Amino acid sequence: MRIKNVLPVLIIFLMTLSVNAREKLKIVSTTSDLASIAREIGKDRVDIVSFSNGTQDPHFIEPRPSMIMKLKKADLVLLVGMNFDVWLEPLVANARNYKIKTGNSGYLDLSQGIKKLGIPQGKVDGSSGHIHPQGNPHYWLDPENVKVMANAITLKLIELSPVSADYFKANLRDFSSKIDRRIKTWQSTLKPYKNDKIITYHQSWSYFANRFNLDIACEIEPKPGIPPSPGHLQKVLQKINHNKIKAVLMEVFYDPGPAEFLADSTGINVVIVPNSVGGTKQVKDYFGLIDTIVNELAEGMK
Amino acid sequence: MKIISKHLIFVFLFAALFLANEKNLFSKENLNNTSAIELPDISLVGNILGTFGSDDHLKNNKKLVVEETELAIQGYLYPAIRMDVIMSLHRHDSTYQAELEEAYVSFLELYLPGAGIHIPDLSVKAGKKLLDIGKINAVHPHHWNYVTRPDVLNSFFGEHGLSGQGLSFSYLLPAPFFCQWDIGAWYIDSADSHDDEEHSENENVDGMSHYNYLTRLWTSFELSQDQELETGLNAITGYGSHYQEHKDRITVTGFDITYEKFISSYQKLFFQNEVYMLKRELPEGTFNRSGFYSFLNYRMNKYWDCGLRYDYVEAPSTDTIIMSHLSAIVTHSLTEMTKARIQYTKSLRDSDYAIYCQLTFGTGPHSHTLE
């Protein structure tokens, strides 16, 4: 008798669970940064999977068949664009999910609406190194750009789930005001180093340097994606000595050897930081990412 | 492989070079919106190979030759329909022959507007292509982690792999993990694997011809965020590459298993195995042969790979000939498509050895189907 009474309640409970599960939008992002931003907007009404975890060089993610299944079930795919995540294309092609194909409702290239830096002039080929024809794609490292990205994600989520429009808009307002406050803090931390020169390993810090008024004197790589030769390191070394540069800023996944050589030769500080959420265990969201970069760079510039 | 007019290839090459040099096409505006110019992806890949070995019958022994150049023209025709055309200039007996390696159209989902037919999980490929059997047959040599084709594929499928003209269907099964079932019907010209010229010289190589039917069940499991395990069950049945002469029917069954462990951003452990059983039915009787390869590769960093491959195969000839080789491979990657590689291969049944030095190079947006 008791089972008979409990059964309808259990069925209704399970049905409610399944309806709630269905209501959640399934999002796949190519990077953990995009996932972090989307999570701020969608919160508990989205399920997000990222194909890279922040410790990997996102230029070199290898497509795997298991990724196809995640894309097949996705309502929305978020990508950096600008030829940064070109490895996504064969996966989308094989996912048999019409929604997420280029230009369809479930496809969002977040580089749209971003003021792009580093668009190459003239012919683009291998002589320029690993260059992106549409410009430098590391735009998420400027928090002002992240506001533009969050806005685009919000509009897309509203389009896909209009019933949650107010919820997403409220989350966007919270996120934008929080990031505005944090931008002031980050700017104030780096204010003493305004217009100071730094060295970076790869051309990935242009947007960050632009936002925080830092001057990138040169890169350790002679050209994007090309490892430094001893001759090039000598030129960098002279530049460090001539300009009294205090810090090398580089990502966690690059070879620290050349930067350590420069540090041994000149005493320059090597600041190794993640450039994506999850790049170190402490960096769990976008705010943590920029906090880490800003604080460690400020320490290195002293 | 069927030879098409050299003149036609040169027209294609000329057209590709003309398009690539057309200033207006690569203006800043167009680079930012390449779709506006409706230009397909055009790429060129080359393979330079130096060979030094103890066996005088080794192909191009003690020579450095351009083994192959490949021109690929690829792009979308319609939202879920893409084309891949791959032509090559291929070295044969000290001359270069133009070949149509692949030319096929992929319907990424079966959708016939107006007919009310839409099966999103079913894709169709039609045309000429390298057959999707196992992990390596459909992959072009410049994408391999080694120089030479594994012995078992060489012996059972021909020295240029199994390539045919026909149709295949791929269905993504409704499973919680990746599970794709392929079936196809292919007509294989024996000339496609160049067996006509080579058969008399090499009895260890057979291959297939005429109508063949292929099926493959491909599964993949994400063991963790940094580990993947792929398996495949394969079967093909049809006729031998010299059916007119031998009246032989061939059935090859096999399985493949691949494990990948992504250790760090660039470090990766890769372990791949393919096992095949061949049944050859001749008027004078039936015989069974088997073979496999096992390949272990460790990517040390962004630039360096080292690997070991063990090959074992019983040749598909009437005499029982067993071959086994051990190969050590070191690869230096300059870019994704430009690599320098050295392979040392030692026969485990006699004293023969071979050293291969390879440089593969490429430019342009080049892609192959998911491997």
Side-chain angles (χ1 to χ4, degrees), chain A residues 169-202:
Chain A
K169 281 180 192 169
N171 292 341
L172 176 66
R173 276 195 298 276
D174 290 348
F175 178 74
S176 299
S177 58
K178 189 176 174 186
I179 209 156
D180 280 338
R181 287 196 304 276
R182 298 293 276 274
I183 286 174
K184 283 180 188 158
T185 310
W186 294 326
Q187 280 178 328
S188 132
T189 307
L190 288 175
K191 197 174 178 183
Y193 314 107
K194 189 176 177 182
N195 298 327
D196 279 7
K197 286 184 165 50
I198 58 167
I199 305 280
T200 65
Y201 189 96
H202 181 67

Side-chain angles (χ1 to χ4, degrees), chain A residues 57 62 66 72 89 96, chain B residues 76 120-121 228 265-266 268:
Chain A
D57 181 348
E62 288 192 34
S66 61
K72 182 176 164 50
E89 201 278 331
R96 280 89 155 178
Chain B
Y76 276 86
D121 289 344
E228 186 107 351
S265 185
Y266 303 112
K268 183 179 128 178

